[in-house]
PDB file of all heavy atoms in Angstrom:
ATOM      1  N   ILE A  13       4.696   1.644  -8.519  1.00  0.00           N
ATOM      2  CA  ILE A  13       5.417   0.821  -7.550  1.00  0.00           C
ATOM      3  C   ILE A  13       6.063   1.743  -6.521  1.00  0.00           C
ATOM      4  O   ILE A  13       6.593   2.799  -6.881  1.00  0.00           O
ATOM      5  CB  ILE A  13       6.526  -0.006  -8.247  1.00  0.00           C
ATOM      6  CG1 ILE A  13       6.009  -0.695  -9.512  1.00  0.00           C
ATOM      7  CG2 ILE A  13       7.154  -0.997  -7.279  1.00  0.00           C
ATOM      8  CD1 ILE A  13       4.889  -1.654  -9.302  1.00  0.00           C
ATOM      9  N   TYR A  14       6.013   1.376  -5.261  1.00  0.00           N
ATOM     10  CA  TYR A  14       6.706   2.152  -4.238  1.00  0.00           C
ATOM     11  C   TYR A  14       8.150   1.687  -4.182  1.00  0.00           C
ATOM     12  O   TYR A  14       8.433   0.489  -4.047  1.00  0.00           O
ATOM     13  CB  TYR A  14       6.021   1.969  -2.884  1.00  0.00           C
ATOM     14  CG  TYR A  14       6.640   2.786  -1.770  1.00  0.00           C
ATOM     15  CD1 TYR A  14       6.900   4.147  -1.932  1.00  0.00           C
ATOM     16  CD2 TYR A  14       6.958   2.201  -0.550  1.00  0.00           C
ATOM     17  CE1 TYR A  14       7.459   4.891  -0.910  1.00  0.00           C
ATOM     18  CE2 TYR A  14       7.508   2.940   0.488  1.00  0.00           C
ATOM     19  CZ  TYR A  14       7.764   4.285   0.296  1.00  0.00           C
ATOM     20  OH  TYR A  14       8.328   5.020   1.316  1.00  0.00           O
ATOM     21  N   SER A  15       9.075   2.624  -4.298  1.00  0.00           N
ATOM     22  CA  SER A  15      10.504   2.303  -4.350  1.00  0.00           C
ATOM     23  C   SER A  15      10.916   1.383  -3.198  1.00  0.00           C
ATOM     24  O   SER A  15      10.642   1.653  -2.034  1.00  0.00           O
ATOM     25  CB  SER A  15      11.320   3.594  -4.294  1.00  0.00           C
ATOM     26  OG  SER A  15      12.698   3.318  -4.236  1.00  0.00           O
ATOM     27  N   GLY A  16      11.574   0.318  -3.555  1.00  0.00           N
ATOM     28  CA  GLY A  16      12.008  -0.690  -2.586  1.00  0.00           C
ATOM     29  C   GLY A  16      11.168  -1.945  -2.659  1.00  0.00           C
ATOM     30  O   GLY A  16      11.663  -3.046  -2.372  1.00  0.00           O
ATOM     31  N   ASP A  17       9.904  -1.805  -3.064  1.00  0.00           N
ATOM     32  CA  ASP A  17       9.043  -2.983  -3.171  1.00  0.00           C
ATOM     33  C   ASP A  17       9.497  -3.911  -4.288  1.00  0.00           C
ATOM     34  O   ASP A  17       9.220  -5.114  -4.254  1.00  0.00           O
ATOM     35  CB  ASP A  17       7.589  -2.566  -3.407  1.00  0.00           C
ATOM     36  CG  ASP A  17       6.952  -1.962  -2.166  1.00  0.00           C
ATOM     37  OD1 ASP A  17       7.520  -2.113  -1.065  1.00  0.00           O
ATOM     38  OD2 ASP A  17       5.881  -1.328  -2.298  1.00  0.00           O
ATOM     39  N   GLU A  18      10.187  -3.352  -5.279  1.00  0.00           N
ATOM     40  CA  GLU A  18      10.647  -4.177  -6.404  1.00  0.00           C
ATOM     41  C   GLU A  18      11.753  -5.139  -5.999  1.00  0.00           C
ATOM     42  O   GLU A  18      12.051  -6.098  -6.724  1.00  0.00           O
ATOM     43  CB  GLU A  18      11.113  -3.278  -7.560  1.00  0.00           C
ATOM     44  CG  GLU A  18      12.463  -2.616  -7.395  1.00  0.00           C
ATOM     45  CD  GLU A  18      12.465  -1.402  -6.467  1.00  0.00           C
ATOM     46  OE1 GLU A  18      11.406  -1.074  -5.888  1.00  0.00           O
ATOM     47  OE2 GLU A  18      13.541  -0.774  -6.326  1.00  0.00           O
ATOM     48  N   ILE A  19      12.373  -4.907  -4.827  1.00  0.00           N
ATOM     49  CA  ILE A  19      13.394  -5.834  -4.329  1.00  0.00           C
ATOM     50  C   ILE A  19      12.990  -6.378  -2.953  1.00  0.00           C
ATOM     51  O   ILE A  19      13.836  -6.835  -2.181  1.00  0.00           O
ATOM     52  CB  ILE A  19      14.793  -5.186  -4.264  1.00  0.00           C
ATOM     53  CG1 ILE A  19      14.745  -3.862  -3.464  1.00  0.00           C
ATOM     54  CG2 ILE A  19      15.346  -4.948  -5.666  1.00  0.00           C
ATOM     55  CD1 ILE A  19      16.114  -3.294  -3.132  1.00  0.00           C
ATOM     56  N   ALA A  20      11.703  -6.324  -2.644  1.00  0.00           N
ATOM     57  CA  ALA A  20      11.156  -6.907  -1.406  1.00  0.00           C
ATOM     58  C   ALA A  20      11.823  -6.356  -0.152  1.00  0.00           C
ATOM     59  O   ALA A  20      12.237  -7.095   0.750  1.00  0.00           O
ATOM     60  CB  ALA A  20      11.284  -8.436  -1.449  1.00  0.00           C
ATOM     61  N   THR A  21      11.919  -5.035  -0.064  1.00  0.00           N
ATOM     62  CA  THR A  21      12.532  -4.384   1.095  1.00  0.00           C
ATOM     63  C   THR A  21      11.680  -4.601   2.349  1.00  0.00           C
ATOM     64  O   THR A  21      10.462  -4.430   2.326  1.00  0.00           O
ATOM     65  CB  THR A  21      12.679  -2.873   0.839  1.00  0.00           C
ATOM     66  OG1 THR A  21      13.520  -2.688  -0.305  1.00  0.00           O
ATOM     67  CG2 THR A  21      13.288  -2.162   2.034  1.00  0.00           C
ATOM     68  N   LEU A  22      12.345  -4.958   3.454  1.00  0.00           N
ATOM     69  CA  LEU A  22      11.656  -5.218   4.720  1.00  0.00           C
ATOM     70  C   LEU A  22      11.520  -3.939   5.536  1.00  0.00           C
ATOM     71  O   LEU A  22      12.093  -2.894   5.193  1.00  0.00           O
ATOM     72  CB  LEU A  22      12.426  -6.267   5.520  1.00  0.00           C
ATOM     73  CG  LEU A  22      12.684  -7.614   4.832  1.00  0.00           C
ATOM     74  CD1 LEU A  22      13.512  -8.519   5.746  1.00  0.00           C
ATOM     75  CD2 LEU A  22      11.372  -8.296   4.456  1.00  0.00           C
ATOM     76  N   ASN A  23      10.766  -4.030   6.625  1.00  0.00           N
ATOM     77  CA  ASN A  23      10.641  -2.895   7.537  1.00  0.00           C
ATOM     78  C   ASN A  23      12.006  -2.454   8.046  1.00  0.00           C
ATOM     79  O   ASN A  23      12.896  -3.282   8.286  1.00  0.00           O
ATOM     80  CB  ASN A  23       9.785  -3.275   8.755  1.00  0.00           C
ATOM     81  CG  ASN A  23       8.323  -3.438   8.413  1.00  0.00           C
ATOM     82  OD1 ASN A  23       7.838  -2.933   7.417  1.00  0.00           O
ATOM     83  ND2 ASN A  23       7.606  -4.156   9.271  1.00  0.00           N
ATOM     84  N   ASP A  24      12.131  -1.147   8.243  1.00  0.00           N
ATOM     85  CA  ASP A  24      13.354  -0.570   8.811  1.00  0.00           C
ATOM     86  C   ASP A  24      12.996   0.009  10.180  1.00  0.00           C
ATOM     87  O   ASP A  24      12.248   0.972  10.273  1.00  0.00           O
ATOM     88  CB  ASP A  24      13.886   0.523   7.881  1.00  0.00           C
ATOM     89  CG  ASP A  24      15.130   1.214   8.435  1.00  0.00           C
ATOM     90  OD1 ASP A  24      15.638   0.765   9.479  1.00  0.00           O
ATOM     91  OD2 ASP A  24      15.566   2.207   7.822  1.00  0.00           O
ATOM     92  N   TYR A  25      13.531  -0.596  11.236  1.00  0.00           N
ATOM     93  CA  TYR A  25      13.186  -0.164  12.587  1.00  0.00           C
ATOM     94  C   TYR A  25      14.162   0.868  13.145  1.00  0.00           C
ATOM     95  O   TYR A  25      14.093   1.234  14.318  1.00  0.00           O
ATOM     96  CB  TYR A  25      13.113  -1.375  13.517  1.00  0.00           C
ATOM     97  CG  TYR A  25      12.065  -2.374  13.076  1.00  0.00           C
ATOM     98  CD1 TYR A  25      12.414  -3.538  12.396  1.00  0.00           C
ATOM     99  CD2 TYR A  25      10.708  -2.131  13.292  1.00  0.00           C
ATOM    100  CE1 TYR A  25      11.455  -4.443  11.958  1.00  0.00           C
ATOM    101  CE2 TYR A  25       9.738  -3.021  12.869  1.00  0.00           C
ATOM    102  CZ  TYR A  25      10.121  -4.178  12.200  1.00  0.00           C
ATOM    103  OH  TYR A  25       9.159  -5.069  11.767  1.00  0.00           O
ATOM    104  N   GLY A  26      15.042   1.363  12.296  1.00  0.00           N
ATOM    105  CA  GLY A  26      16.015   2.363  12.719  1.00  0.00           C
ATOM    106  C   GLY A  26      15.379   3.662  13.177  1.00  0.00           C
ATOM    107  O   GLY A  26      15.983   4.425  13.936  1.00  0.00           O
ATOM    108  N   PHE A  27      14.152   3.913  12.727  1.00  0.00           N
ATOM    109  CA  PHE A  27      13.477   5.159  13.100  1.00  0.00           C
ATOM    110  C   PHE A  27      13.273   5.272  14.609  1.00  0.00           C
ATOM    111  O   PHE A  27      13.174   6.378  15.162  1.00  0.00           O
ATOM    112  CB  PHE A  27      12.119   5.269  12.378  1.00  0.00           C
ATOM    113  CG  PHE A  27      11.022   4.448  12.977  1.00  0.00           C
ATOM    114  CD1 PHE A  27      10.110   5.018  13.858  1.00  0.00           C
ATOM    115  CD2 PHE A  27      10.888   3.096  12.668  1.00  0.00           C
ATOM    116  CE1 PHE A  27       9.085   4.263  14.412  1.00  0.00           C
ATOM    117  CE2 PHE A  27       9.868   2.340  13.218  1.00  0.00           C
ATOM    118  CZ  PHE A  27       8.963   2.921  14.094  1.00  0.00           C
ATOM    119  N   LEU A  28      13.220   4.119  15.295  1.00  0.00           N
ATOM    120  CA  LEU A  28      12.983   4.118  16.740  1.00  0.00           C
ATOM    121  C   LEU A  28      14.140   4.757  17.507  1.00  0.00           C
ATOM    122  O   LEU A  28      13.963   5.226  18.632  1.00  0.00           O
ATOM    123  CB  LEU A  28      12.764   2.686  17.229  1.00  0.00           C
ATOM    124  CG  LEU A  28      11.480   2.007  16.727  1.00  0.00           C
ATOM    125  CD1 LEU A  28      11.501   0.515  17.032  1.00  0.00           C
ATOM    126  CD2 LEU A  28      10.250   2.665  17.346  1.00  0.00           C
ATOM    127  N   LYS A  29      15.323   4.807  16.886  1.00  0.00           N
ATOM    128  CA  LYS A  29      16.501   5.387  17.542  1.00  0.00           C
ATOM    129  C   LYS A  29      16.685   6.862  17.202  1.00  0.00           C
ATOM    130  O   LYS A  29      17.614   7.500  17.694  1.00  0.00           O
ATOM    131  CB  LYS A  29      17.752   4.603  17.124  1.00  0.00           C
ATOM    132  CG  LYS A  29      17.708   3.124  17.492  1.00  0.00           C
ATOM    133  CD  LYS A  29      18.924   2.388  16.951  1.00  0.00           C
ATOM    134  CE  LYS A  29      18.841   0.899  17.247  1.00  0.00           C
ATOM    135  NZ  LYS A  29      19.994   0.149  16.663  1.00  0.00           N
ATOM    136  N   ASP A  30      15.804   7.374  16.356  1.00  0.00           N
ATOM    137  CA  ASP A  30      15.887   8.774  15.918  1.00  0.00           C
ATOM    138  C   ASP A  30      14.775   9.565  16.611  1.00  0.00           C
ATOM    139  O   ASP A  30      13.592   9.343  16.360  1.00  0.00           O
ATOM    140  CB  ASP A  30      15.735   8.853  14.392  1.00  0.00           C
ATOM    141  CG  ASP A  30      15.938  10.254  13.849  1.00  0.00           C
ATOM    142  OD1 ASP A  30      15.779  11.234  14.603  1.00  0.00           O
ATOM    143  OD2 ASP A  30      16.242  10.378  12.647  1.00  0.00           O
ATOM    144  N   GLU A  31      15.151  10.496  17.495  1.00  0.00           N
ATOM    145  CA  GLU A  31      14.150  11.241  18.266  1.00  0.00           C
ATOM    146  C   GLU A  31      13.184  12.009  17.367  1.00  0.00           C
ATOM    147  O   GLU A  31      12.013  12.190  17.706  1.00  0.00           O
ATOM    148  CB  GLU A  31      14.845  12.218  19.226  1.00  0.00           C
ATOM    149  CG  GLU A  31      15.517  11.539  20.409  1.00  0.00           C
ATOM    150  CD  GLU A  31      16.076  12.542  21.403  1.00  0.00           C
ATOM    151  OE1 GLU A  31      15.783  13.750  21.256  1.00  0.00           O
ATOM    152  OE2 GLU A  31      16.797  12.130  22.322  1.00  0.00           O
ATOM    153  N   ALA A  32      13.670  12.459  16.216  1.00  0.00           N
ATOM    154  CA  ALA A  32      12.833  13.248  15.308  1.00  0.00           C
ATOM    155  C   ALA A  32      11.795  12.390  14.590  1.00  0.00           C
ATOM    156  O   ALA A  32      10.827  12.915  14.037  1.00  0.00           O
ATOM    157  CB  ALA A  32      13.706  13.968  14.292  1.00  0.00           C
ATOM    158  N   LYS A  33      11.991  11.063  14.606  1.00  0.00           N
ATOM    159  CA  LYS A  33      11.107  10.172  13.854  1.00  0.00           C
ATOM    160  C   LYS A  33      10.440   9.097  14.709  1.00  0.00           C
ATOM    161  O   LYS A  33       9.507   8.427  14.248  1.00  0.00           O
ATOM    162  CB  LYS A  33      11.895   9.487  12.728  1.00  0.00           C
ATOM    163  CG  LYS A  33      12.466  10.453  11.699  1.00  0.00           C
ATOM    164  CD  LYS A  33      13.372   9.730  10.695  1.00  0.00           C
ATOM    165  CE  LYS A  33      13.953  10.711   9.690  1.00  0.00           C
ATOM    166  NZ  LYS A  33      14.918  10.061   8.782  1.00  0.00           N
ATOM    167  N   SER A  34      10.904   8.918  15.921  1.00  0.00           N
ATOM    168  CA  SER A  34      10.477   7.764  16.723  1.00  0.00           C
ATOM    169  C   SER A  34       8.985   7.745  17.036  1.00  0.00           C
ATOM    170  O   SER A  34       8.437   6.688  17.341  1.00  0.00           O
ATOM    171  CB  SER A  34      11.278   7.704  18.029  1.00  0.00           C
ATOM    172  OG  SER A  34      11.074   8.891  18.785  1.00  0.00           O
ATOM    173  N   ASP A  35       8.328   8.912  16.962  1.00  0.00           N
ATOM    174  CA  ASP A  35       6.892   8.942  17.267  1.00  0.00           C
ATOM    175  C   ASP A  35       6.028   8.768  16.022  1.00  0.00           C
ATOM    176  O   ASP A  35       4.804   8.878  16.088  1.00  0.00           O
ATOM    177  CB  ASP A  35       6.526  10.255  17.965  1.00  0.00           C
ATOM    178  CG  ASP A  35       6.785  11.477  17.093  1.00  0.00           C
ATOM    179  OD1 ASP A  35       7.500  11.336  16.077  1.00  0.00           O
ATOM    180  OD2 ASP A  35       6.281  12.569  17.425  1.00  0.00           O
ATOM    181  N   ASP A  36       6.651   8.472  14.885  1.00  0.00           N
ATOM    182  CA  ASP A  36       5.920   8.287  13.623  1.00  0.00           C
ATOM    183  C   ASP A  36       6.401   7.000  12.968  1.00  0.00           C
ATOM    184  O   ASP A  36       7.431   6.972  12.293  1.00  0.00           O
ATOM    185  CB  ASP A  36       6.156   9.483  12.694  1.00  0.00           C
ATOM    186  CG  ASP A  36       5.324   9.422  11.411  1.00  0.00           C
ATOM    187  OD1 ASP A  36       4.751   8.345  11.121  1.00  0.00           O
ATOM    188  OD2 ASP A  36       5.261  10.433  10.691  1.00  0.00           O
TER     189      ASP A  36
END
């Protein structure tokens, strides 16, 4: 199981505000 799937975790769009992660 991928961690978070056991509690139905949704997409996290916070990465778009992080310059180090926004392109991935």
Side-chain angles (χ1 to χ4, degrees):
I13 313 300
Y14 182 49
S15 175
D17 288 345
E18 76 282 2
I19 53 169
T21 299
L22 304 178
N23 289 339
D24 178 6
Y25 300 101
F27 78 97
L28 293 168
K29 300 175 183 177
D30 185 338
E31 287 186 9
K33 298 173 181 175
S34 60
D35 62 345
D36 185 347

